[in-house]
Amino acid sequence: MGKHSAESGTSLLLHGDLDIQIVEAKCLPNMDLMTERMRKCFTGYGACRTDCRKDPHPDMRKIITSDPYVSVCLSGATVAQTRVIANSENPKWDEHFYVQVAHSVSSVEFHVKDNDVFGAELIGVASIPVEQIAPGDIVSGWFPISGQYSNPMKASPELHLSIQYKPIDQNPIYKDGVGGDGCLGIGVPNAYFPLRKGGRVTLYQDAHIPDEFQPKIDIDGGRIYEQNKCWEDICHAIAEAHHLIYIVGWSLYHPVKIVRESTKPVPRGNPQTIGELLKNKVQEGVRVIVLLWDDKTSHDRFLLKTIIDKTVGNINKNEAGGMQDGLMHTHDEEARKFFRHSGVHCVLAPRYASNKLSIFKQQVVGTLFTHHQKCVIVDTQATGNNRKITAFIGGLDLCDGRYDTPEHRLFKDLDTVFKDDFHNPTFPVNKHGPRQPWHDLHCKIEGPAAYDVLTNFEQRWKKAAKWKVSVRRAVSWQHDALVKINRMSWIISPSGDELSAHVCEEKDPENWHVQIFRSIDSGSVKGFPKLVQEAESQNLVCAKNLQIDKSIHNAYVKAIRSAQNFIYIENQYFIGSSYYWSSHRSAGAENLIPIELAIKIARKIKARERFAAYIVIPMWPEGNPTTAAMQEILYWQGHTMSMMYKIVADALRKEGLHETHHPQDYLNFYCLGKREVSGDVPSTSHSNENSGLRLAQKFRRFMIYVHSKGMVVDDEYVIIGSANINQRSMDGSRDTEIAMGAYQPHYSWAGSSSPPRGQVYGYRMSLWAEHLGTVEECFRRPESMECVRRVNQMAEENWASYVSPQIAEMSGHLLRYPVAVDQDGRVGPVHGQESFPDVGGKVLGTHSSLPNALTT
């Protein structure tokens, strides 16, 4: 594995963290020389003789020269970037970076570039051989910048920096398990929001859980794990709010009923739509603010929709949808019109790009990337007569197509439960079924961490708020709509003392430690500091002209590195670590999550310890799997799988275990599917007998769309949020995301001889009960070979039932993902099943000419 690198020379695996300080450069060449000469021709200004070590022109606006910045590159992947310093041949950055690495390299390269309106131009490269860095000593000093220079009279350019490598084995935060911070209690270090104690977390699977779904899952304390009802809890929280209701989402569809099959009284007696509920709360005097992503393709401003409809198509695939009101069918314009003049503050927020970019590029960036966070924030009852802030976050938007239960109906109840809420983008012209079942994860947060979710909302709202003209007040700031909770003594706030916001004591076994993470940059929030040193003090990453919070990615990496026994992932996408693929290494999917998982397994194989990774993804991305965009996403996903299985297979061979063990004894990918036997299906007149729709109706089957964004580690730690495992969600400067990581300190492996059996364990077992249709004893130890092989057996049987021409009920929904993995880790299509049943489209996808940034 350490030899796998595209770079020349001996490569070594750097797996751990790099502490990098980029101080300054000197004697850089003038890359804007042609522009400067033209200026001199018109101004008559003569050349001046300068000493590169002393700048005689402190007013840099009088000269035109390079606008340098530095990119730190490993295996072709950019892992850090300084800010741009305008017009300077002797720039001083003094910037610090703490970078997670899992790269095979022969050297660490520092690319010094000149920023330009037409794109960056390489000035030169400073390199440090990996052999100097690998021992872990601090390497510092001036390093030559190699490049093509034409001025022999000028001193050679140099870069001043320091770098230190800290291997994973030497970092104590990874040793005691993901929930084993001990007395430090630091959570994920270098994050914008710190770990908060004294909290409470409620975990949800799907939008609703009926009372009939009650698998018997024993947890500590002689208790049975209880499932919770997500949309029902959100509805009651909104109905019982006294002061504020803040909603931030990718989409909100006002006619959707969020309570449909309730077993307890519905607020106001009758099921209400989310739009009616919010309007009624305004009439009660509650401040209601809705902040939605502005899909620019849903309107024709600046002819942008026409351009994108013709050139881009439906490829913005962090969420999929139809074409009724914009490419992504988010109903943003419908929501804005519905809430107009109602008292509900509804603002559509574009995905802001840096104002340093051209106007056209800002429009393009604002169209390609999205605001993807999903949060509901309300005030709820606290102790006595006090109120507290409660936040719901996860993968569920309050819009059409999201309501579902563990049954995941295809054809049943289309005229009742799913009336006016039929959603299946694979077959847009279809109202008779199958509907697209929807599986998702969500959570409720109470305690100090809920106020961090509130801070995120306030920062985003202040950025999105615009000048508002009214009759009564000539001009007012729209962000005045925010409730000033610090002025309301009866609303508990942690601003003075965090203990006051605790909802559990530390000695309470049901206490939670919770940390909020984000992917977001300064283009989407107001409040990030502009000075580099201040941004670094708040654990923000500075890259060119942006300040970035990418703590979601860091949280995933930290959790994987700390894992001791197993990892269970459900995610809408699984793409990353492209710099380690066998081809297309420059695709740009540079997040570390897939390679960290593969390296974790390889290290466990070397140590002769059991470890298992279970990854559940959709059968195909939402929409038509034969389209170019869907095929390219599947193509990148196949490359990611292949890279991981190759690492695992190589580890088995190196340890002499390849004849007795298979890569799928450690790493497995699954999807979800459903067959529904009962009920009649009216024929669809618009479809021929061999169309995907008619075949899906004939065989009464369809995938269950996995929209989850979550991970369970060792049954003690859980991450849930809006972030997919792809570059769009993990980059920090693309889609905006929010997530939480949490654990119960009384239920962890640290200091215990038995596995944790708290709420996280119960949640994971409940998800498995939903997917597998049963609870078996071996499920209690997912890392065991017995469990892995049993789950694989069940998934294989379910897949055989799913593709069989004989229609029969399946015993569970979990299917093996339809690829073949051989003993050497090679991934290929299953013979005779190269395409998806009914709908077509190659399982392993095909490459296209679409921009990589859209599909990675």
Side-chain angles (χ1 to χ4, degrees), residues 301-322:
R301 296 172 191 169
F302 307 115
L303 301 178
L304 191 63
K305 181 177 186 293
T306 303
I307 295 171
I308 294 172
D309 283 351
K310 291 181 178 179
T311 60
V312 178
N314 188 15
I315 54 178
N316 191 332
K317 294 309 298 179
N318 239 20
E319 297 283 354

Side-chain angles (χ1 to χ4, degrees), residues 177-192:
V178 70
D181 292 325
C183 60
L184 296 177
I186 59 173
V188 176
N190 307 312
Y192 186 84

Side-chain angles (χ1 to χ4, degrees), residues 27-30 50 52 89 151-157:
C27 303
L28 298 182
N30 185 352
T50 64
C52 70
E89 297 177 15
N151 188 353
M153 304 298 294
K154 191 171 183 178
S156 297

Side-chain angles (χ1 to χ4, degrees), residues 699-717:
F699 293 111
R700 305 188 64 83
R701 64 190 174 196
F702 200 73
M703 72 161 173
I704 297 169
Y705 192 60
V706 178
H707 191 260
S708 315
K709 299 95 168 51
M711 179 169 75
V712 173
V713 180
D714 294 339
D715 279 338
E716 65 178 355
Y717 188 81

Side-chain angles (χ1 to χ4, degrees), residues 472-646:
R472 294 183 181 179
R473 300 169 63 187
V475 178
S476 65
W477 282 110
Q478 202 170 74
H479 64 66
D480 276 346
L482 295 172
V483 174
K484 310 298 189 295
I485 64 171
N486 58 332
R487 299 180 185 176
M488 308 170 97
S489 60
W490 58 94
I491 298 183
I492 296 171
S493 173
S495 57
D497 178 15
E498 186 176 312
L499 287 173
S500 64
H502 284 199
V503 294
C504 279
E505 296 183 0
E506 277 298 294
K507 63 183 180 181
D508 187 338
E510 296 309 303
N511 168 50
W512 286 80
H513 290 180
V514 189
Q515 193 170 8
I516 301 301
F517 311 115
R518 291 186 295 184
S519 291
I520 203 164
D521 63 34
S522 50
S524 298
V525 297
K526 185 174 182 180
F528 281 3
K530 295 182 179 180
L531 294 178
V532 171
Q533 285 70 26
E534 290 184 20
E536 289 178 358
S537 69
Q538 296 183 25
N539 296 315
L540 297 172
V541 177
C542 297
K544 296 187 74 172
N545 298 312
L546 291 174
Q547 291 77 45
I548 303 171
D549 180 353
K550 56 183 301 180
S551 51
I552 293 179
H553 177 265
N554 297 344
Y556 268 90
V557 172
K558 197 261 184 180
I560 293 168
R561 290 180 174 182
S562 302
Q564 303 295 309
N565 299 286
F566 81 93
I567 287 173
Y568 174 67
I569 290 174
E570 292 186 4
N571 206 280
Q572 184 183 1
Y573 296 103
F574 198 84
I575 299 171
S577 311
S578 58
Y579 57 85
Y580 216 82
W581 293 351
S582 59
S583 62
H584 301 283
R585 293 187 183 181
S586 60
E590 297 173 356
N591 73 81
L592 304 184
I593 295 170
I595 198 169
E596 287 285 354
L597 268 170
I599 292 175
K600 166 63 69 174
I601 295 170
R603 292 169 65 92
K604 288 291 185 176
I605 291 171
K606 182 177 181 180
R608 295 296 204 277
E609 296 175 1
R610 276 299 305 159
F611 193 90
Y614 304 82
I615 302 170
V616 181
I617 54 178
M619 195 178 298
W620 65 84
E622 191 180 26
N624 183 347
T626 65
T627 61
M630 304 301 101
Q631 281 291 289
E632 183 151 278
I633 292 171
L634 291 164
Y635 186 73
W636 301 139
Q637 182 176 280
H639 273 59
T640 303
M641 290 181 181
S642 297
M643 175 270 297
M644 296 176 69
Y645 277 120
K646 178 68 164 55

